Amino acid sequence: MKNTILTLSAITGLAVAASAAPQTFDFKDPKGVNNAVFQLDAPLEAIQGSASGITGSVTFDAANPAALKGKIVVAASSLHVPNPMMKEHLHGAQWLDVAKHPEITFESKSLANVKTAGDETTADVTGTFTVKGVAREITVPVKLTYLKDKLGQRVPNQNGDLLVIRARFTIQRSDYGINPQAPQDKVSNTIELTLSIAGASPR
């Protein structure tokens, strides 16, 4: 009887440890709904666009959110604005030069001010943001939502968990060499970025 209890305790302990283990979430979205939105609001013109070519992977432990590590990648060529000529300029050498710099990336280094309530965690994530070959360390406020057993509701016939990331932050266009000579009354130097993505951890 004693051996049976010990065995059951060991199995239970292993199950708990397994459920609390870090998980890797893949942000390549088969539905194509993950997106990043960018906005420049200058006195003469407001420019808004989006990008859907998002991939990357994040390791997240629901029992220890502060240990999050990962990298999100946006295909620069997927950035889109409604005006065809403006889109051509955006992809060109003066702006993002997507032919030479095909990826925009953010790689996390550390989390601070981590607060968790239920399935949601808010934190300030410090990491390296790279655009047009220029890498700078920035800190971004994020909200992480861990959705256990919800993958099937997003991707039919798949079992697993979801990690939803929401973030909004600004960068300075001139810091990354994105056409720094452009007049700021027509093209804002401040770019506001909004990230709305979900990653999958199948099992």
Side-chain angles (χ1 to χ4, degrees):
M1 182 67 176
K2 184 178 180 181
N3 286 340
T4 302
I5 292 172
L6 289 172
T7 301
L8 288 172
S9 297
I11 292 171
T12 302
L14 286 171
V16 171
S19 67
Q23 296 172 258
T24 298
F25 292 84
D26 183 0
F27 283 83
K28 185 176 181 180
D29 178 21
K31 293 187 73 174
V33 296
N34 280 348
N35 69 87
V37 173
F38 59 94
Q39 184 171 352
L40 298 84
D41 191 3
L44 295 179
E45 289 187 9
I47 301 168
Q48 183 167 316
S50 62
S52 57
I54 298 172
T55 55
S57 117
V58 170
T59 301
F60 177 79
D61 185 349
N64 183 19
L68 177 143
K69 296 291 181 186
K71 183 177 183 179
I72 299 299
V73 179
V74 178
S77 61
S78 77
L79 269 69
H80 173 78
V81 290
N83 184 301
M85 183 175 291
M86 189 178 290
K87 181 178 177 180
E88 184 179 342
H89 290 163
L90 179 67
H91 290 186
Q94 273 194 310
W95 290 84
L96 293 175
D97 200 359
V98 301
K100 289 185 179 178
H101 305 288
E103 293 182 344
I104 298 168
T105 65
F106 180 83
E107 185 167 6
S108 68
K109 291 184 176 181
S110 63
L111 271 69
N113 303 319
V114 181
K115 297 177 183 176
T116 299
D119 295 334
E120 291 187 354
T121 297
T122 58
D124 295 324
V125 181
T126 297
T128 303
F129 188 64
T130 304
V131 182
K132 202 178 178 182
V134 178
R136 288 180 172 269
E137 186 174 286
I138 63 172
T139 299
V140 176
V142 299
K143 181 172 77 171
L144 312 166
T145 305
Y146 173 66
L147 299 175
K148 187 172 177 60
D149 298 322
K150 296 293 186 181
L151 178 57
Q153 293 186 19
R154 184 176 172 94
V155 184
N157 304 317
Q158 283 202 25
N159 296 320
D161 307 329
L162 288 170
L163 181 66
V164 178
I165 299 179
R166 298 286 186 264
R168 179 176 291 179
F169 59 102
T170 61
I171 62 169
Q172 298 302 302
R173 181 169 50 84
S174 56
D175 286 347
Y176 295 88
I178 304 171
N179 197 5
Q181 287 78 36
Q184 293 189 24
D185 57 348
K186 191 173 182 180
V187 184
S188 173
N189 192 45
T190 298
I191 305 174
E192 182 177 290
L193 301 168
T194 304
L195 191 68
S196 304
I197 58 176
S201 179
R203 60 172 179 274

